[in-house]
């Protein structure tokens, strides 16, 4: 069993989605594709944005993506989100991805996503 220590870094934000990295998502090195991770982060950000906007949203920008370490097949992948800022129709959301693999917990990716609240016709609408 791994002990949790107070001085160890912890995920910041709310758990939005959790899944397992599967073999079909691996790249030529045997680790997980960055594109698959970005896709999970986009989904996690959308969960957070839809909650804040109480309805449809679209991703308008992804900034500051950092891939900190590779993700092995079989790792439990957890995406955490934090709503940083809300404009008229836009929401800035930080997404962190943490993995649990072989008893170790680590942050593997982080990025800043901007979502926009949209109506049924795809036009922007006020978040609040
Ligand atoms: C969950 C998904 O994966 S969705 C699929 C991928 N995403 C898409 O297909 C979206 C395609 N893009 C679009 O349909 C349009 O660009 C829209 C509807 C999102 C926005 O339409 P626009 O005409 O650009 O809207 P507008 O210029 O008024 O900007 C809307 C808001 O987004 C912000 N914004 C627009 N572009 C950017 C950008 N590149 N970076 C950061 N914020 C931006 C604006 O500042 C504005 O914020 P505010 O309302 O809080 O002041």
């Amino acid at each position: 069993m791994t002990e949790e220590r107070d001085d160890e870094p912890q995920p910041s934000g709310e758990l939005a989605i959790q899944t397992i990295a599967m073999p079909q998502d691996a790249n030529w090195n045997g680790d997980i594709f960055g594109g698959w991770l970005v896709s999970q982060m986009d989904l996690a950000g959308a969960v957070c944005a839809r909650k804040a906007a109480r309805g449809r949203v679209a991703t308008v920008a992804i900034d500051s993506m950092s891939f900190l370490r590779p993700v092995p097949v079989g790792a439990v992948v957890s995406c955490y989100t934090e709503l940083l800022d809300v404009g008229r129709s836009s929401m800035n959301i930080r997404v962190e991805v943490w993995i649990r693999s072989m008893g170790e917990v680590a942050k593997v990716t982080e990025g800043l996503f901007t979502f926009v609240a949209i109506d049924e016709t795809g036009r922007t609408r006020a978040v609040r």
Side-chain angles (χ1 to χ4, degrees):
M1 199 169 103
T2 313
E3 294 239 348
E4 226 174 64
R5 289 178 17 204
D6 285 346
D7 58 348
E8 278 179 355
Q10 299 290 323
S12 68
E14 194 176 330
L15 180 63
I17 60 171
Q18 195 167 52
T19 187
I20 295 178
M22 301 292 280
Q24 66 263 29
D25 301 315
N27 62 23
W28 46 89
N29 296 324
D31 295 314
I32 294 300
F33 265 119
W36 181 84
L37 280 169
V38 174
S39 173
Q40 300 306 308
M41 295 169 81
D42 199 16
L43 284 171
V47 168
C48 176
R50 285 171 62 137
K51 195 168 157 191
R54 298 189 190 90
R56 292 179 65 167
V57 299
T59 315
V60 73
I62 302 177
D63 297 305
S64 328
M65 280 296 304
S66 303
F67 295 94
L68 307 171
R69 51 189 285 177
V71 175
V73 169
V76 175
V77 176
S78 305
C79 299
Y80 293 84
T81 58
E82 189 174 0
L83 183 61
L84 299 179
D85 195 25
V86 178
R88 188 195 78 84
S89 68
S90 65
M91 292 154 282
N92 292 327
I93 296 171
R94 180 171 52 231
V95 183
E96 291 186 357
V97 182
W98 288 68
I99 60 165
R100 179 180 291 276
S101 178
M102 313 283 276
E104 198 195 343
V105 175
K107 181 160 77 171
V108 293
T109 314
E110 61 190 358
L112 285 175
F113 287 65
T114 306
F115 289 84
V116 171
I118 54 171
D119 63 20
E120 305 72 38
T121 65
R123 289 217 188 93
T124 66
R125 63 179 173 87
V127 173
R128 287 169 185 156

